[in-house]
Amino acid sequence: MIPRRLVFASLILLSFASLVSAQTWTPLVHQPSFPAGTALLLTDGTVMVQQMTTNAFGTGQWWMLTPDNTGSYVNGTWSQLASMPGSHAPLYYASAVLPDGRVLVVGGEYNGTAKSDTNLGAMYNPAINLWTSITPPSGITQIGDASSVVLANGTFMLGPCCSQSTEWLFDAFSLTWFPTGSNKADNNSEEGWTLLPNGNVLTVDTQNGTNSEIYNPSTGSWSSAGSTMVV
């Protein structure tokens, strides 16, 4: 006789398998009237989407997709948001939705059509539909396609591009930056950061062979997480 717990487990697995196989893509009823780029899910359930140019460069224009009164994005509607300040029109950049609902966009490997690794940044407040320019970290002239993550305590952490190995923490209330990240084994270029369940941050080095590293927010330092064994 098969134990009942195994039968139950099998039924659950079969149910999940059927759910996965049943998933499909559904076109929006109201398609965007613009070339769509980066999309960010806001804390109120709306989706903020960057408008791109027809040749796939960034612009400073953003739109919002609002679901209908049943929560359906398929039947959602579009509205245009305020434009980013000044000449900021990034492509390949750091971005995050902060716990208080505001949106941070920093850097850009391209600004408009120019390859610039810009250090421009801005904070968007959806409650008042307003962007505020952000001063870059002290002495940082290039941010570009920066590494970034929101830590477990809600703090945004940035790793500027272009052979820089100092990381920065952003105070969302004073709109200022503080250095962190001692003992980094390589620079931040092209790295991806992952927040772990224990609050630490994991990265696989891109400039240091097969090494991986852990950032500990309580000490503000990096340490080796060992070799990935694969180049």
Side-chain angles (χ1 to χ4, degrees):
M1 177 181 293
I2 300 175
R4 283 179 294 175
R5 63 180 179 273
L6 293 181
V7 172
F8 181 65
S10 298
L11 288 173
I12 291 175
L13 289 173
L14 285 171
S15 297
F16 280 128
S18 62
L19 282 173
V20 171
S21 63
Q23 301 304 301
T24 59
W25 287 94
T26 304
L28 299 181
V29 172
H30 306 292
Q31 291 292 315
S33 60
F34 58 93
T38 296
L40 299 166
L41 178 63
L42 304 190
T43 55
D44 66 356
T46 58
V47 179
M48 184 174 171
V49 181
Q50 184 184 17
Q51 178 174 330
M52 310 300 286
T53 67
T54 54
N55 54 350
F57 286 100
T59 77
Q61 299 178 63
W62 291 77
W63 295 72
M64 180 174 287
L65 175 65
T66 302
D68 68 12
N69 57 12
T70 69
S72 170
Y73 292 98
V74 171
N75 295 304
T77 55
W78 293 96
S79 57
Q80 189 162 16
L81 302 176
S83 296
M84 299 183 76
S87 61
H88 200 188
L91 176 66
Y92 312 137
Y93 49 87
S95 63
V97 179
L98 302 182
D100 66 5
R102 290 180 295 170
V103 177
L104 186 61
V105 172
V106 187
E109 183 174 343
Y110 289 81
N111 193 42
T113 59
K115 177 71 166 67
S116 65
D117 288 313
T118 181
N119 68 351
L120 295 174
M123 176 85 81
Y124 178 71
N125 187 337
I128 56 176
N129 188 28
L130 180 68
W131 288 92
T132 301
S133 293
I134 301 298
T135 302
S138 178
I140 300 300
T141 60
Q142 294 177 304
I143 294 177
D145 55 335
S147 307
S148 65
V149 69
V150 176
L151 301 178
N153 65 1
T155 300
F156 179 82
M157 179 175 168
L158 176 75
C161 74
C162 315
S163 302
Q164 299 175 77
S165 57
T166 297
E167 292 74 49
W168 299 84
L169 301 177
F170 183 68
D171 185 324
F173 296 98
S174 64
L175 307 185
T176 54
W177 299 91
F178 299 90
T180 190
S182 59
N183 303 320
K184 188 74 166 62
D186 69 343
N187 63 57
N188 303 308
S189 292
E190 306 298 335
E191 285 190 352
W193 295 347
T194 300
L195 182 66
L196 301 178
N198 65 1
N200 291 339
V201 176
L202 172 68
T203 188
V204 175
D205 291 345
T206 59
Q207 315 292 320
N208 192 28
T210 62
N211 191 51
S212 63
E213 298 186 76
I214 292 285
Y215 171 80
N216 185 329
S218 64
T219 64
S221 64
W222 294 89
S223 60
S224 176
S227 173
T228 62
M229 306 299 292
V230 178
V231 177

